Amino acid sequence: MRTIIIIAGKEIQEGLRNRWVLATTLLLAALALSLTFLGSAPTGNVGADKLDVVVVSLSSLTIFLLPLIALLISHDAVVGEMERGTMILLLSYPVGRHQVIFGKFCGHVLILAFATVIGYGAAAAALAITGASVPAASWYAFASMLGTSILLGAVFVAIGYLISSLVRDRGTAAGLSVGIWLLMVLVFDMALLGILVIDQGSIISAPVLEALLFLNPTDLYRLTNLTGFNVSQFSGMAGLAGTTSTGIGALLMGLLVWTAAPLGLATVFFARREL
């Protein structure tokens, strides 16, 4: 455990040195504040609580932005160090390969968690400073959005590690990462929507649709935050919220499985890889 903590600390130090932590935090904070003050302007007309609108806006932003950031900081975690020759030096110490993977993973997830909490927390702090009245349910939805955003980031960090453990050069890892991002964030849902339009409910029933959504972690995140709590009526997903039978616990378990599976495979492939 001490070895994993040391490796995680090393990744955090490198993130600070490369300005990853600062850049990611400032980016998320700037976007969160923009969405807070611009996106919550019509709340008085539609009768929505300001923080609920912020949760919907930040959840939609997270689906596109956080997976990309996670893949950018993790896609060369293994192959990059192998190309630079630092991996051989690291493994010359009494360190197991699984400890290297888990230590790096913890460091990168902590970087994402810090940036997400500070960046998105700036939006909640701004609302609090303005004196806006926010009910407890909205704060609960916001806290859930923060937690699941970090979990979604962890999923794509794990996917980045799997890619990095499989390929032989950083260029290939970067290309595959962008392809995975496009597939899970854009292509999957567009293809699924097209299939639903063609099918017209003849084959794909509601339970089948829910099972298909488990094949994409971004859809699990979307279901968790945009159909739960008290924000579905403001997210345009009120209909889905009324028909889905999947509980929040099952959705969170799906995200955990999506994190554990790529990370476990990355550990296996890295253990068998020749340096």
Side-chain angles (χ1 to χ4, degrees), residues 16-152:
L16 291 171
R17 190 181 305 118
N18 296 330
R19 301 292 192 270
W20 266 113
V21 179
L22 179 61
T24 304
T25 303
L26 290 178
L27 175 63
L28 293 178
L31 293 173
L33 289 172
S34 300
L35 291 173
T36 298
F37 291 110
L38 298 178
S40 62
T43 54
N45 297 326
V46 300
D49 183 79
K50 287 186 176 182
L51 191 57
D52 289 339
V53 176
V54 170
V55 169
V56 172
S57 301
L58 291 182
S59 296
S60 301
L61 171 69
T62 298
I63 290 170
F64 291 93
L65 186 60
L66 213 59
L68 182 59
I69 294 174
L71 288 170
L72 285 176
I73 66 177
S74 64
H75 75 277
D76 65 342
V78 174
V79 70
E81 289 215 30
M82 294 184 70
E83 286 189 353
R84 293 188 295 268
T86 54
M87 184 63 74
I88 297 177
L89 177 62
L90 178 60
L91 292 178
S92 66
Y93 293 96
V95 176
R97 295 196 180 193
H98 68 284
Q99 292 175 318
V100 172
I101 293 292
F102 284 112
K104 285 177 167 289
F105 174 79
C106 291
H108 282 142
V109 171
L110 286 174
I111 288 174
L112 273 181
F114 177 83
T116 303
V117 171
I118 300 300
Y120 286 0
L127 281 181
I129 291 173
T130 60
S133 177
V134 180
S138 297
W139 285 114
Y140 185 65
F142 182 81
S144 173
M145 186 270 297
L146 274 181
T148 51
S149 295
I150 295 170
L151 186 53
L152 180 66

Side-chain angles (χ1 to χ4, degrees), residues 35-275:
L35 291 173
T36 298
F37 291 110
L38 298 178
S40 62
T43 54
N45 297 326
V46 300
D49 183 79
K50 287 186 176 182
L51 191 57
D52 289 339
V53 176
V54 170
V55 169
V56 172
S57 301
L58 291 182
S59 296
S60 301
L61 171 69
T62 298
I63 290 170
F64 291 93
L65 186 60
L66 213 59
L68 182 59
I69 294 174
L71 288 170
L72 285 176
I73 66 177
S74 64
H75 75 277
D76 65 342
V78 174
V79 70
E81 289 215 30
M82 294 184 70
E83 286 189 353
R84 293 188 295 268
T86 54
M87 184 63 74
I88 297 177
L89 177 62
L90 178 60
L91 292 178
S92 66
Y93 293 96
V95 176
R97 295 196 180 193
H98 68 284
Q99 292 175 318
V100 172
I101 293 292
F102 284 112
K104 285 177 167 289
F105 174 79
C106 291
H108 282 142
V109 171
L110 286 174
I111 288 174
L112 273 181
F114 177 83
T116 303
V117 171
I118 300 300
Y120 286 0
L127 281 181
I129 291 173
T130 60
S133 177
V134 180
S138 297
W139 285 114
Y140 185 65
F142 182 81
S144 173
M145 186 270 297
L146 274 181
T148 51
S149 295
I150 295 170
L151 186 53
L152 180 66
V155 169
F156 281 88
V157 168
I159 292 173
Y161 275 65
L162 176 58
I163 294 172
S164 191
S165 299
L166 288 171
V167 301
R168 294 295 175 180
D169 60 86
R170 297 171 65 187
T172 304
L176 282 176
S177 297
V178 173
I180 291 293
W181 179 79
L182 288 172
L183 174 64
M184 292 190 171
V185 173
L186 297 174
V187 176
F188 182 90
D189 287 337
M190 293 176 62
L192 184 58
L193 180 60
I195 293 173
L196 290 175
V197 170
I198 296 173
D199 182 68
Q200 295 292 322
S202 59
I203 298 177
I204 301 180
S205 59
V208 174
L209 176 60
E210 291 182 24
L212 290 174
L213 293 178
F214 271 79
L215 298 177
N216 189 346
T218 61
D219 284 327
L220 295 178
Y221 175 86
R222 185 182 286 110
L223 285 173
T224 302
N225 290 283
L226 299 184
T227 65
F229 309 107
N230 58 332
V231 302
S232 62
Q233 57 183 317
F234 312 124
S235 65
M237 300 184 72
L240 184 58
T243 59
T244 182
S245 59
T246 306
I248 298 296
L251 296 173
L252 292 176
M253 183 59 65
L255 286 172
L256 289 173
V257 170
W258 261 104
T259 304
L263 190 63
L265 289 173
T267 305
V268 171
F269 287 119
F270 181 52
R272 296 179 178 180
R273 184 167 181 170
E274 295 182 2
L275 297 179

